[in-house]
Amino acid sequence: QRWLTEAQWHEYYPDIESWAAVVSNCARWKCTKWQAGVLLYDIHEYSKRYCMMDTELCYRGYMCFREQMRTITGMDIDAFYTLPSVGFAYAIKEGVFDGVPQLAGVLREFVQDAVVGGRVCVRDNTPHEVSNEGIADFDAVGLYNSTMIMFPGFVTGKCRNLTPEELRSHATIVSFNSCFVRVRVTGVRSTYGIPLTSYKDEEGRRIWSNDMVGRVTTMEKTALEDAVNFGGMEYEALCGVCFPGPFNTAINKVSLHLFHERLKMKAVKNPIQNTYKLVGNALYGRTLQKASESVVKFVAVQQFDTTYYRNRYEYVQDFSYFYPPGQSANDPGAEPYIVRVRERQPTCNHSNYAHAGCAVLGYSKRIMNEVMCLAEDLEPKCVHYTDTDSMHIPDRLLPALAAKFEERYGRALVGKGYGQFHTDFKWDGHKDIVSVHAVFCGKKAYVDQLAGRNTATGEWEVAAAPGDFHIRLKSVPTRAIEHYCGEHKLTPVELYQSMLPSTDGVGLTEMEPTGEKVTFNCLAGGGCSFQSGRSDGLWRSKQLVRSVQFNRGGDIDPDGGYHIIAA
């Protein structure tokens, strides 16, 4: 229906924020007409105008970003599909991978087994809440950019297998510039609340745990050193490879340049500083690209029907014919013009710089380990939660931690420079912000009730409105949580308390959900989602429902999921 009355418009689009703005736009764009004494609005013309403005806005934004990337990297992003591809090409252009070998086949698979992403963990893997002291969100400054400035660089030259004699000596293993070792853990002295070691369970989930005795895992040199030096791990080395060659340090210079340029742009409030940050974080991501087990090809119909399928049928997983616009397979006389073919491809031919990516990930955790382990040495179990580059830690502990850190490592802990940390809670109009009540339900699922000093009055205030809380829940937007709290007359802390699973009398490996199951509409509070179908075209969802329930290990129940309700 093209022409709508005001009542129909409100019926079809009940979440319109300003009807006066709609009326004004329709008058300006000549989208109205009178019919039988009723004013009608042309929704087709109105939508067309909005689409044109959105397209122009996206174009201008893209061209601005394109020019910024050209300024930083000297390259045109039109030649790339993804940001990691741009960062990788820029790194190659700057000589970052000169002399660094690519790995393939069995060697790549072995090294890639040591890839461990960002550490996300609740203390002792136990959901809990804290309300008796102020908690700071202690955040590393540009963790991965800092890592690529501070670590030795990317190792060059060929690798070789470690000999049985070398495998018997930890000192010999870590004497090489880079090494990857498969070990059987025989002992762990660490009782840190945030473990240094991890393994994958039967379902492929990464579990950070001190319970590692008897487990077999593959570790990169930095991770191995930290597990031994910080956690007192003992192990039996089963096999491994080493890279005895020198380091290519170009990555350090490139990362330092990007870091300093970003600081300059940030000081003058130039938005290009965000693009500098993007490029800095994108330098290493492509090094860990996984092998794809399939590839999509487009083949001419005649070639596919005559020779292609006959010669390659054992590789073809599926295929589909494409017809000219306006035609389908059901139309009489319709003929396809191209075939989309998905084929299996051998992963042994895939190559990457997995050892370089592992070096970045390993050293980034060392930056975090130096701080967290020192903090737990000062006060056991003081780190309540960590997510890759940040930790929740008592605010009162920071002065003593900073002094001890400088004494041990010879550099300042708190600041805005690379390798430093700063508190990261934000609340408009306030300073000296801490969390006075925190609930940690699991990974990427926690809430902080903030408190801070009002910058205008100097008064100490505690957050009361849901929008002033620090809220995190993976896969559920913050606005949807705020809407749920308003609808059910709950504070965010009360909501998370209800979801907090019980751990009484049950081992941490127990996966039975015990927290209250809560269902959110992810579109509540202003969200928008569209779905498409072959026969239905494009349609707007009224709800995007997500049910969340936590188990005793702090994981979301896998039975919770999305349920889409059409408008």
Side-chain angles (χ1 to χ4, degrees):
Q1 185 175 348
R2 177 168 183 171
W3 293 93
L4 304 179
T5 64
E6 179 179 345
Q8 289 173 324
W9 193 300
H10 284 295
E11 179 185 351
Y12 295 149
Y13 305 101
D15 54 352
I16 288 292
E17 294 182 1
S18 173
W19 174 247
V22 172
V23 173
S24 174
N25 289 337
C26 285
R28 186 154 46 94
W29 297 335
K30 297 180 173 52
C31 298
T32 61
K33 73 173 182 179
W34 288 92
Q35 183 173 305
V38 178
L39 183 61
L40 301 179
Y41 301 90
D42 187 348
I43 186 62
H44 286 193
E45 182 63 22
Y46 192 89
S47 301
K48 175 184 173 182
R49 293 280 188 146
Y50 253 94
C51 285
M52 289 172 64
M53 289 194 300
D54 286 345
T55 302
E56 183 178 357
L57 181 62
C58 288
Y59 170 76
R60 289 182 178 179
Y62 176 79
M63 294 305 291
C64 179
F65 180 66
R66 181 186 180 193
E67 190 56 37
Q68 289 178 347
M69 291 295 288
R70 199 195 306 272
T71 300
I72 297 171
T73 67
M75 297 185 298
D76 188 348
I77 60 173
D78 279 358
F80 303 92
Y81 289 109
T82 64
L83 186 60
S85 297
V86 180
F88 186 66
Y90 175 58
I92 291 176
K93 173 173 169 280
E94 296 297 319
V96 167
F97 295 106
D98 288 356
V100 181
Q102 292 197 57
L103 309 184
V106 174
L107 176 60
R108 180 192 60 77
E109 289 282 354
F110 179 78
V111 171
Q112 199 124 15
D113 195 41
V115 174
V116 180
R119 175 172 43 191
V120 184
C121 184
V122 181
R123 186 193 67 194
D124 291 327
N125 291 326
T126 306
H128 63 283
E129 67 177 305
V130 182
S131 60
N132 57 351
E133 63 178 341
I135 301 295
D137 183 20
F138 207 39
D139 189 67
V141 176
L143 180 61
Y144 290 117
N145 207 339
S146 294
T147 295
M148 289 181 280
I149 294 171
M150 298 171 65
F151 82 141
F154 292 147
V155 71
T156 61
K158 296 181 179 180
C159 72
R160 65 170 177 83
N161 290 328
L162 291 167
T163 66
E165 293 76 17
E166 291 169 334
L167 289 169
R168 283 193 283 270
S169 169
H170 172 72
T172 302
I173 291 173
V174 298
S175 67
F176 297 102
N177 282 340
S178 178
C179 65
F180 295 83
V181 187
R182 182 159 292 161
V183 303
R184 179 182 291 111
V185 181
T186 58
V188 178
R189 292 198 304 272
S190 168
T191 58
Y192 291 141
I194 304 296
L196 301 168
T197 50
S198 65
Y199 66 92
K200 285 187 177 180
D201 64 9
E202 294 80 3
E203 297 180 10
R205 292 177 299 185
R206 176 70 58 181
I207 306 297
W208 290 91
S209 173
N210 293 319
D211 181 20
M212 293 293 292
V213 175
R215 300 189 187 278
V216 176
T217 185
T218 306
M219 304 184 79
E220 180 264 343
K221 175 187 173 179
T222 308
L224 182 63
E225 286 180 322
D226 286 0
V228 172
N229 297 337
F230 290 121
M233 187 184 82
E234 299 172 353
Y235 66 92
E236 174 192 359
L238 305 178
C239 61
V241 297
C242 66
F243 292 80
F247 288 108
N248 177 340
T249 60
I251 183 66
N252 309 115
K253 300 169 187 174
V254 171
S255 296
L256 185 61
H257 165 74
L258 292 172
F259 186 86
H260 284 322
E261 289 300 310
R262 185 197 173 204
L263 289 183
K264 291 178 186 177
M265 297 299 103
K266 198 171 183 179
V268 297
K269 298 185 180 344
N270 188 329
I272 198 175
Q273 63 96 1
N274 291 314
T275 310
Y276 273 103
K277 182 179 180 180
L278 285 174
V279 175
N281 289 334
L283 291 177
Y284 85 99
R286 186 76 179 271
T287 62
L288 296 169
Q289 186 176 35
K290 294 182 179 179
S292 175
E293 296 182 353
S294 63
V295 61
V296 173
K297 299 179 179 179
F298 290 90
V299 183
V301 174
Q302 184 177 2
Q303 179 187 358
F304 182 81
D305 290 343
T306 55
T307 59
Y308 191 92
Y309 186 75
R310 184 174 67 244
N311 295 337
R312 300 186 59 81
Y313 69 91
E314 69 273 22
Y315 296 105
V316 175
Q317 293 178 295
D318 58 62
F319 62 90
S320 55
Y321 289 94
F322 278 69
Y323 291 81
Q327 296 184 14
S328 69
N330 298 325
D331 294 339
E335 293 190 7
Y337 68 99
I338 202 166
V339 185
R340 180 186 183 275
V341 185
R342 186 161 62 96
E343 295 184 355
R344 283 186 294 272
Q345 67 174 357
T347 59
C348 60
N349 295 332
H350 176 71
S351 63
N352 63 15
Y353 294 97
H355 57 312
C358 278
V360 175
L361 292 174
Y363 202 91
S364 70
K365 292 181 185 64
R366 171 166 292 179
I367 292 175
M368 298 299 295
N369 289 338
E370 288 175 346
V371 180
M372 286 196 292
C373 293
L374 186 57
E376 293 222 21
D377 289 340
L378 291 174
E379 184 176 310
K381 310 295 184 182
C382 65
V383 181
H384 296 282
Y385 178 84
T386 183
D387 187 343
T388 307
D389 64 349
S390 65
M391 66 189 84
H392 275 57
I393 186 172
D395 184 67
R396 58 174 172 77
L397 195 62
L398 294 184
L401 177 60
K404 192 69 176 177
F405 184 90
E406 188 164 3
E407 175 188 328
R408 177 168 298 184
Y409 296 107
R411 65 181 193 270
L413 173 63
V414 179
K416 298 291 186 180
Y418 61 84
Q420 294 184 310
F421 285 70
H422 61 102
T423 55
D424 200 38
F425 280 134
K426 293 179 175 62
W427 183 14
D428 289 344
H430 294 78
K431 62 180 181 178
D432 304 328
I433 306 164
V434 295
S435 167
V436 293
H437 197 161
V439 182
F440 305 97
C441 290
K443 298 176 182 178
K444 298 186 181 293
Y446 62 91
V447 64
D448 292 288
Q449 183 175 17
L450 302 181
R453 197 163 302 283
N454 189 303
T455 54
T457 65
E459 296 292 323
W460 184 259
E461 298 177 346
V462 178
D468 293 332
F469 285 65
H470 182 75
I471 302 172
R472 295 291 182 270
L473 183 54
K474 186 177 181 180
S475 77
V476 180
T478 300
R479 53 173 169 68
I481 298 172
E482 294 172 358
H483 182 274
Y484 183 95
C485 290
E487 191 174 46
H488 292 81
K489 295 181 171 53
L490 295 171
T491 68
V493 166
E494 290 171 338
L495 170 62
Y496 278 70
Q497 285 174 328
S498 70
M499 295 191 293
L500 194 66
S502 168
T503 57
D504 296 340
V506 181
L508 294 179
T509 57
E510 176 62 54
M511 302 306 288
E512 179 184 353
T514 60
E516 180 180 323
K517 189 171 186 177
V518 179
T519 300
F520 299 94
N521 175 14
C522 295
L523 303 184
C528 186
S529 176
F530 293 91
Q531 304 297 321
S532 61
R534 290 182 179 274
S535 59
D536 297 331
L538 190 68
W539 45 273
R540 184 169 180 262
S541 300
K542 181 184 294 184
Q543 293 186 1
L544 190 59
V545 178
R546 171 71 166 167
S547 297
V548 175
Q549 186 176 29
F550 290 91
N551 58 41
R552 293 175 173 88
D555 288 319
I556 295 179
D557 174 24
D559 290 336
Y562 282 111
H563 310 284
I564 298 169
I565 301 176

